């Protein structure tokens, strides 16, 4: 049948357009007359000329034409209609394709009076051999003629020039007045008029000015009382063209549609005194149904004395559901188009056929949508199905992370969307998003589990009504794939170190020490070393720092600990705690300087909350600390002051004092730290001082305590050293190793570091054998086939005293014995 098909349904021709062919196209409709002229079927013209265009049954498009429609051709009870349809993908109908559909239908025999109630117009046609007007129907019948011809009082007029029959004038009867319209005026007012060889036609749009709303048996009718005058040879004749169509009469009870239509409507039966039912038929979509077919669909048709009632279960065959939107909520309405064809005889008109086409739409009923999350763990894919929808719904866009994108563009955000259709015509939409997509929110919940959340809003439109609604989709999947951060800690002589290996849940966790968020700025303020290379977070804290806890101390050592907490970046809830504890030498608390100065640091132990370190004193309570923190107090004094006691023997001098803390009003200390300094006694000499001119500076060998560091760097720029956790370093033979030796203490610009001997061993012990020298007396080993190369050290942000550093390059080698590789 191609893109269009036709069907003859009594006095109605129906042309149906293929939904698949015309889908997603803009359409315009025209009717083509016998001269080939196309008349556009806009809404007003359609209701005036007997055409109805409907969009129904999930975008199915129908054009219905009356047998007496404008621009159709009626010959010997066969009427022919030609419809032109233009289709284009653009709203301005550019590059439109044109389709013509011509169809002919036989209709007969005609009843003396036929009434049609279409969805957009009312139509009445009567034979021209009409019975005489009844006085009771229009009591002032003579006035109708007088209104048409005020100067002549005769009932029949002979016209000299008129040879053919044509409608001349219409008189509308209204409660307050009568109004006469010439054909041209009636046509301009939207009324449709026509006369054939045998019939007079009046067509009235429901929006016409002369329509009255009347009630019959509690049912409201749209009605028009009118008399139509037409010329018949030498006469002017008048015919009753009253018409009435029900506008309500539909109720909904117990999931059933109840449609009631009164019989023998008074406006249509005026002047008649006897009635006789001839035929009552009913159906759906202008298809008549037999009693058996109605029973199979559970329809009920009742023909009572005064009314006809049709009962249809909501959802029954013959109707369909369509999507509806109310206050932004998704729902549905059941739609069905039943019709009644009632024929009766009376003693005025003879046979009357009344065809009523009714479009029934049930009230809005909300429909809950089901959102199903079918997680595909093996593919790490969130697979969400949203439905079920009727075919008249289309997904147009979605909003992800506050950004609205079209369906086709969603794939660029890692979101694949496709449609699945079911055998009953309904459909659902599937959304697939990888778990690792940026649009998926990941949240650590417990133990080894992470919650993956998809939050997307889908926007839909209905066709052809263009109603819109949205569906928020929020699905959460729990996946046991959490890798928590882990840590290892260690200490050197003066620092505590924590190295935390990142997991996959702590990207937004924040490091805290005590209640301080450990930012680079905080680390710099407290002279902490904080580094994060993306896989590891490393922090080094000096022993005597504000955030170090001192748990115990005795003659064997000081137990100190560093606690670090990872907190949620949003809620600041504790997520993970790490700590490192070490025992440091007691000598870290005290310095006995050669000049007789003592520097002693007292620490406050964990659990002694009310101890104020600023109130620490020495034996001589006038000696106060020179440096105070929340947990430490440092004293610097001479051994000959502050109540220091001393003892002598043949080899040493011993100085002793103690740090004390007294509560107010108490003479007994609650804190007591005793400390001792020993000085070796070598000899006593008399020194005579004489002022002389200072000699020029000279370098002399001597001995002292130096703090040195040896580091291995990754490249010649000496910008990044290997960290503790990266050892042992694995490299290839003859690959360059970049070493740096730095003088850490003392920081004296007058000092210069010179290297004497440097050698390599195959184990961590510096005295183990075999050994291979890489520097001899500060120079490269002349016996080495790959000589050590020295690199210049320049001043930089990291290097304040270039003379305190030496840098050299050694080629990677291995120890062998004969042809055997020696390994540790």
């Amino acid at each position: 049948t191609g893109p269009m098909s036709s069907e003859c349904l009594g006095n109605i021709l129906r042309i149906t357009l293929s939904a698949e062919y015309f889908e997603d196209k803009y359409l315009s409709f025209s009717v083509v007359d016998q001269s080939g002229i196309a008349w556009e079927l806009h809404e007003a013209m359609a209701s005036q000329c007997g055409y109805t265009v409907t969009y129904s049954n999930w975008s199915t498009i129908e054009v219905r034409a009356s047998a007496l429609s404008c621009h159709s051709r009626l010959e010997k009870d066969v009427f022919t209609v030609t419809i032109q349809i233009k289709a284009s993908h653009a709203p301005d109908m550019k590059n439109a394709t044109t389709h013509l559909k011509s169809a002919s239908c036989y209709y007969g025999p005609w009843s003396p009076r036929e009434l049609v109630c279409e969805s957009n117009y009312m139509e009445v046609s009567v034979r021209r051999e009409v019975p005489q007007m009844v006085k009771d129907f229009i009591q002032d019948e003579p006035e109708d003629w007088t209104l048409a011809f005020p100067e002549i009082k005769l009932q029949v007029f002979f016209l000299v020039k008129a040879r053919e029959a044509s409608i001349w004038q219409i008189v509308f009867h209204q409660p307050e007045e009568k109004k006469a319209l010439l054909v041209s005026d009636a046509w301009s007012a939207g009324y449709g008029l026509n006369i054939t060889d045998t019939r007079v036609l009046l067509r009235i749009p429901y929006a016409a000015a002369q329509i009255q709303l009347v009630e019959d048996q509690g049912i409201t009718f749209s009605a028009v009382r009118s008399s139509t005058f037409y010329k018949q040879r030498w006469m002017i004749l008048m015919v009753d063209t009253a018409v009435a169509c029900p506008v309500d009469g539909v109720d909904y009870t117990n999931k059933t549609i109840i449609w009631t239509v009164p019989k023998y409507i008074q406006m249509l039966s005026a002047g008649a005194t006897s009635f006789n039912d001839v035929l009552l038929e009913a159906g759906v979509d202008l298809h008549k149904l037999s009693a058996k077919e109605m029973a199979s669909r559970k329809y009920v048709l009742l023909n009572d004395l005064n009314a006809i009632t049709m009962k249809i279960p909501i959802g029954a065959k013959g109707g369909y559901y369509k999507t509806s939107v109310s206050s932004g909520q998704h729902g549905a309405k059941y739609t069905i188009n039943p019709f009644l064809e009632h024929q009766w005889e009376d003693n005025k008109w003879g046979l009357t056929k009344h065809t009523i086409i009714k479009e029934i739409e049930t009230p809005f009923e909300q429909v809950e949508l089901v959102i199903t999350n079918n997680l595909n763990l093996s593919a790490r894919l969130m697979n969400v199905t949203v439905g079920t929808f009727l075919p008249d719904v289309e997904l147009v866009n979605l909003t992800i992370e506050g950004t609205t994108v079209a369906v086709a563009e969603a794939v660029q955000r890692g979101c694949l969307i496709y449609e699945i259709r079911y055998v009953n015509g309904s459909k659902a939409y599937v959304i697939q998003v990888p778990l690792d997509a940026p649009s998926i929110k990941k949240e650590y919940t417990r133990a080894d589990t992470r919650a993956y959340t998809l939050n997307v809003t889908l926007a839909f439109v209905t066709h052809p009504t263009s109603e819109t609604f949205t569906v928020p989709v929020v699905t959460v999947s729990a996946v046991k794939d959490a890798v928590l951060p882990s840590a290892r800690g260690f200490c050197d002589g003066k620092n505590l170190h924590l190295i935390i290996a990142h997991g996959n849940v702590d990207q937004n966790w924040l490091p805290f020490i005590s209640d301080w968020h450990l930012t680079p700025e905080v680390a710099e303020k407290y002279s902490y070393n904080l580094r994060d290379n993306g896989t590891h977070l490393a922090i080094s804290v000096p022993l005597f720092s504000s955030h170090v806890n001192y748990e115990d101390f005795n003659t064997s050592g000081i137990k100190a600990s560093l606690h670090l907490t990872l907190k949620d970046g949003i809620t600041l809830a504790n997520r993970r705690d790490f700590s490192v504890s070490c025992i440091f030498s007691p000598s870290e608390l005290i310095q006995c300087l050669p000049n007789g100065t003592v520097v002693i640091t007292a620490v406050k132990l964990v659990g002694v909350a009310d101890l104020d370190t600023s109130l620490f004193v020495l034996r001589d309570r006038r000696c106060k600390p020179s440096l105070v923190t929340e947990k430490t107090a440092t004293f610097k004094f001479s051994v000959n002051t502050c109540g220091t006691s001393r003892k002598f023997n043949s080899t040493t001098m011993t100085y002793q004092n103690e740090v004390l803390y007294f509560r107010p009003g108490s003479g007994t200390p609650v804190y007591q730290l005793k400390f001792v300094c020993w000085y070796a006694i070598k000899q006593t000499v008399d020194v005579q001082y004489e002022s002389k001119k200072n000699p020029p500076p000279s370098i002399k060998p001597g001995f002292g305590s130096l703090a040195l560091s040896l580091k291995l760097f990754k490249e010649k720029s000496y910008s990044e050293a290997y960290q503790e956790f990266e050892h042992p370093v694995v490299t290839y033979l003859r690959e360059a190793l970049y070493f740096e030796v730095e003088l850490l203490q003392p920081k004296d610009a007058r000092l210069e570091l010179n290297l004497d001997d440097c050698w390599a061993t195959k184990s961590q012990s510096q005295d183990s054998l075999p050994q291979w020298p890489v520097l001899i007396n500060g120079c490269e080993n002349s016996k080495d086939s790959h000589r050590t190369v020295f690199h210049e050290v320049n001043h930089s942000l990291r290097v304040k005293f270039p003379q305190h550093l030496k840098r050299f390059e050694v080629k990677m080698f291995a120890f062998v014995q004969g042809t055997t590789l020696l390994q540790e």
Side-chain angles (χ1 to χ4, degrees):
T1 59
M4 294 180 286
S5 61
S6 62
E7 191 175 12
C8 297
L9 300 164
N11 58 350
I12 299 289
L13 165 67
R14 177 164 62 198
I15 296 176
T16 303
L17 279 62
S18 167
E20 291 79 9
Y21 184 86
F22 290 100
E23 187 176 13
D24 298 328
K25 294 179 182 178
Y26 294 90
L27 305 177
S28 70
F29 299 89
S30 300
V31 57
V32 181
D33 64 14
Q34 299 179 49
S35 303
I37 299 174
W39 301 82
E40 184 181 356
L41 275 178
H42 52 75
E43 185 176 346
M45 191 268 199
S47 59
Q48 185 176 33
C49 282
Y51 294 92
T52 304
V53 180
T54 64
Y55 295 78
S56 61
N57 197 14
W58 302 330
S59 297
T60 297
I61 304 171
E62 293 181 2
V63 180
R64 296 197 296 267
S66 167
L68 297 173
S69 56
C70 304
H71 311 300
S72 62
R73 186 171 73 255
L74 179 62
E75 293 180 356
K76 297 181 180 179
D77 292 334
V78 175
F79 64 98
T80 302
V81 178
T82 301
I83 297 294
Q84 172 184 280
I85 300 170
K86 290 186 176 181
S88 172
H89 289 287
D92 60 359
M93 304 305 292
K94 188 176 181 180
N95 299 323
T97 58
T98 302
H99 306 269
L100 284 176
K101 181 65 176 180
S102 184
S104 299
C105 293
Y106 171 81
Y107 177 65
W110 289 81
S111 299
R113 179 173 64 163
E114 296 202 0
L115 307 167
V116 177
C117 297
E118 251 286 10
S119 60
N120 58 331
Y121 64 83
M122 303 184 294
E123 180 181 283
V124 54
S125 69
V126 298
R127 284 181 186 166
R128 279 163 43 185
E129 297 81 17
V130 297
Q132 186 177 356
M133 299 290 257
V134 177
K135 184 177 181 180
D136 292 339
F137 169 52
I138 303 178
Q139 296 179 356
D140 50 358
E141 181 182 6
E143 281 80 4
D144 292 342
W145 290 101
T146 305
L147 193 60
F149 302 100
E151 71 282 5
I152 302 177
K153 302 288 184 179
L154 298 178
Q155 293 186 4
V156 180
F157 297 86
F158 294 91
L159 302 179
V160 177
K161 296 183 179 179
R163 290 187 177 181
E164 297 180 357
S166 62
I167 296 175
W168 171 54
Q169 194 175 48
I170 302 174
V171 175
F172 293 98
H173 302 260
Q174 293 181 306
E176 65 277 3
E177 64 175 351
K178 297 175 184 176
K179 184 174 183 180
L181 291 179
L182 295 175
V183 171
S184 58
D185 296 331
W187 186 265
S188 299
Y191 296 97
L193 306 101
N194 195 9
I195 189 166
T196 70
D197 292 342
T198 59
R199 305 191 74 78
V200 175
L201 168 82
L202 174 63
R203 188 177 298 112
I204 306 168
Y206 284 107
Q210 309 303 324
I211 280 185
Q212 305 172 48
L213 294 179
V214 298
E215 194 171 289
D216 193 311
Q217 300 180 42
I219 307 300
T220 303
F221 282 80
S222 179
V224 169
R225 291 180 58 198
S226 63
S227 302
T228 300
F229 295 84
Y230 68 95
K231 301 174 184 178
Q232 177 81 20
R233 295 185 179 179
W234 301 105
M235 297 181 294
I236 292 180
L237 302 177
M238 179 176 64
V239 66
D240 176 7
T241 48
V243 62
C245 292
V247 296
D248 56 16
V250 179
D251 292 316
Y252 309 95
T253 305
N254 298 327
K255 297 290 184 179
T256 301
I257 299 169
I258 302 174
W259 179 30
T260 304
V261 178
K263 295 165 65 175
Y264 317 129
I265 305 159
Q266 183 176 1
M267 180 174 287
L268 302 178
S269 307
T273 58
S274 62
F275 302 93
N276 179 40
D277 273 349
V278 175
L279 182 65
L280 174 61
E281 293 182 296
V284 173
D285 292 330
L286 294 176
H287 286 286
K288 296 177 182 178
L289 298 175
S290 66
K292 183 177 180 180
E293 289 173 319
M294 285 195 183
S296 68
R297 301 184 182 192
K298 297 184 179 180
Y299 295 180
V300 175
L301 182 63
L302 302 176
N303 186 6
D304 298 328
L305 181 62
N306 296 315
I308 301 167
T309 302
M310 191 172 185
K311 297 181 179 181
I312 303 172
I314 294 176
K317 182 181 178 181
Y320 63 95
Y321 284 97
K322 66 178 182 180
T323 303
S324 182
V325 180
S326 177
S327 300
Q329 297 297 311
H330 167 263
K333 296 179 179 180
Y334 176 73
T335 299
I336 191 167
N337 300 324
F339 80 99
L340 294 173
E341 188 174 284
H342 182 209
Q343 298 185 45
W344 74 87
E345 288 181 330
D346 59 46
N347 57 356
K348 175 190 173 184
W349 284 98
L351 186 64
T352 295
K353 179 191 287 187
H354 195 180
T355 303
I356 304 173
I357 302 170
K358 188 71 173 177
E359 294 182 355
I360 297 178
E361 185 177 271
T362 61
F364 172 85
E365 185 173 346
Q366 187 171 347
V367 175
E368 295 294 334
L369 297 170
V370 177
I371 300 173
T372 307
N373 180 13
N374 300 306
L375 179 66
N376 187 339
L377 264 181
S378 60
R380 288 189 62 77
L381 196 66
M382 193 171 280
N383 193 80
V384 180
T385 303
V386 184
T388 304
F389 299 99
L390 294 173
D392 57 356
V393 168
E394 179 189 4
L395 176 62
V396 290
N397 62 53
L398 59 160
T399 301
I400 310 173
E401 296 179 307
T403 302
T404 300
V405 296
V407 174
E409 300 171 5
V411 68
Q412 301 173 8
R413 294 179 172 266
C415 192
L416 175 64
I417 300 176
Y418 63 90
E419 183 182 289
I420 54 176
R421 292 186 177 269
Y422 303 111
V423 292
N424 64 354
S426 62
K427 62 183 178 181
Y429 287 92
V430 176
I431 308 167
Q432 292 183 338
V433 186
L435 290 179
D436 300 316
S439 56
I440 298 291
K441 178 185 175 183
K442 306 166 190 66
E443 183 180 10
Y444 171 66
T445 54
R446 64 184 183 276
D448 58 350
T449 303
R450 284 196 292 177
Y452 291 80
T453 302
L454 171 65
N455 190 341
V456 60
T457 300
L458 308 180
F460 297 89
V461 64
T462 64
H463 296 294
T465 55
S466 298
E467 295 178 296
T468 60
F469 64 95
T470 59
V471 178
V473 177
V474 181
T475 59
V476 181
S477 297
V479 181
K480 292 185 176 182
D481 66 350
V483 178
L484 296 175
S486 58
R488 65 184 182 93
F490 62 93
C491 300
D492 56 24
K494 295 182 179 294
N495 300 280
L496 296 92
H497 305 273
L498 265 177
I499 299 175
I500 301 171
H502 289 303
N504 60 9
V505 298
D506 57 321
Q507 292 83 358
N508 298 316
W509 293 1
L510 306 175
F512 276 75
I513 293 183
S514 298
D515 291 327
W516 287 85
H517 177 202
L518 191 58
T519 63
E521 293 75 19
V522 170
E524 183 178 4
K525 174 182 176 181
Y526 289 100
S527 299
Y528 299 165
N529 190 354
L530 180 67
R531 306 172 302 282
D532 195 332
N533 64 1
T535 62
H536 292 79
L537 171 69
I539 180 166
S540 301
V541 176
L543 172 61
F544 298 112
S545 299
S546 298
H547 299 105
V548 173
N549 293 323
Y550 308 100
E551 300 175 5
D552 190 19
F553 69 86
N554 49 47
T555 56
S556 63
I558 312 162
K559 186 177 182 181
S561 62
L562 173 67
H563 296 272
L564 183 142
T565 300
L566 294 178
K567 296 189 176 186
D568 189 282
I570 299 175
T571 65
L572 295 183
N574 288 358
R575 290 299 192 183
R576 197 82 165 149
D577 292 305
F578 301 107
S579 65
V580 57
S581 295
C582 297
I583 296 177
F584 291 84
S585 170
S587 62
E588 297 296 333
L589 294 177
I590 189 168
Q591 296 181 60
C592 301
L593 301 180
N595 64 357
T597 299
V598 178
V599 180
I600 179 70
T601 299
V603 297
K604 180 173 71 172
L605 298 181
V606 174
V608 189
D610 59 345
L611 192 148
D612 186 352
T613 55
S614 67
L615 300 180
F616 281 174
V617 294
L618 299 178
R619 286 175 179 169
D620 185 345
R621 297 191 188 185
R622 293 173 297 177
C623 292
K624 309 289 185 182
S626 58
L627 178 63
V628 174
T629 69
E630 181 184 355
K631 299 176 183 178
T632 64
T634 302
F635 296 84
K636 187 176 183 180
F637 63 98
S638 173
V639 294
N640 298 318
T641 62
C642 295
T644 306
S645 63
R646 57 186 175 180
K647 293 181 181 181
F648 296 89
N649 59 33
S650 59
T651 59
T652 61
M653 291 187 296
T654 302
Y655 294 89
Q656 181 176 315
N657 207 325
E658 53 191 336
V659 179
L660 305 168
Y661 182 82
F662 299 89
R663 296 195 186 281
S666 174
T668 303
V670 296
Y671 181 97
Q672 189 173 20
L673 173 63
K674 293 183 179 181
F675 57 92
V676 176
C677 281
W678 290 276
Y679 289 90
I681 299 175
K682 293 184 179 180
Q683 60 184 17
T684 302
V685 295
D686 294 328
V687 178
Q688 182 179 356
Y689 178 80
E690 181 180 355
S691 176
K692 292 183 178 180
K693 186 176 181 180
N694 291 332
S698 61
I699 300 175
K700 294 182 179 181
F703 296 92
S705 177
L706 300 177
L708 299 173
S709 72
L710 175 63
K711 296 180 181 178
L712 176 60
F713 282 77
K714 296 181 178 180
E715 44 186 29
K716 192 175 182 179
S717 64
Y718 288 86
S719 58
E720 183 179 2
Y722 285 102
Q723 302 299 314
E724 181 73 23
F725 61 85
E726 295 179 283
H727 288 278
V729 176
V730 179
T731 184
Y732 297 99
L733 289 174
R734 299 184 182 178
E735 188 171 322
L737 302 173
Y738 301 99
F739 292 96
E740 177 185 271
V741 182
E742 181 180 5
L743 174 62
L744 301 177
Q745 293 291 341
K747 296 290 187 181
D748 190 336
R750 297 173 298 174
L751 298 179
E752 181 175 354
L753 174 66
N754 287 290
L755 302 180
D756 190 9
D757 295 326
C758 183
W759 64 94
T761 65
K762 71 181 184 67
S763 70
Q764 293 186 8
S765 174
Q766 65 181 12
D767 298 323
S768 65
L769 295 174
Q771 298 180 355
W772 181 257
V774 295
L775 293 177
I776 302 176
N777 295 325
C779 299
E780 66 270 16
N781 185 356
S782 61
K783 297 180 181 180
D784 202 335
S785 58
H786 298 285
R787 300 285 182 91
T788 301
V789 178
F790 286 94
H791 293 295
E792 183 180 358
V793 181
N794 296 313
H795 189 278
S796 66
L797 290 176
R798 188 172 73 84
V799 180
K800 295 183 179 179
F801 303 110
Q803 64 272 27
H804 288 186
L805 285 86
K806 284 293 184 288
R807 292 172 176 170
F808 57 91
E809 172 187 336
V810 176
K811 301 294 184 182
M812 182 65 185
F813 63 89
F815 289 101
V816 295
Q817 184 173 1
T819 59
T820 303
L821 177 66
L822 297 180
Q823 296 183 350
E824 177 63 21

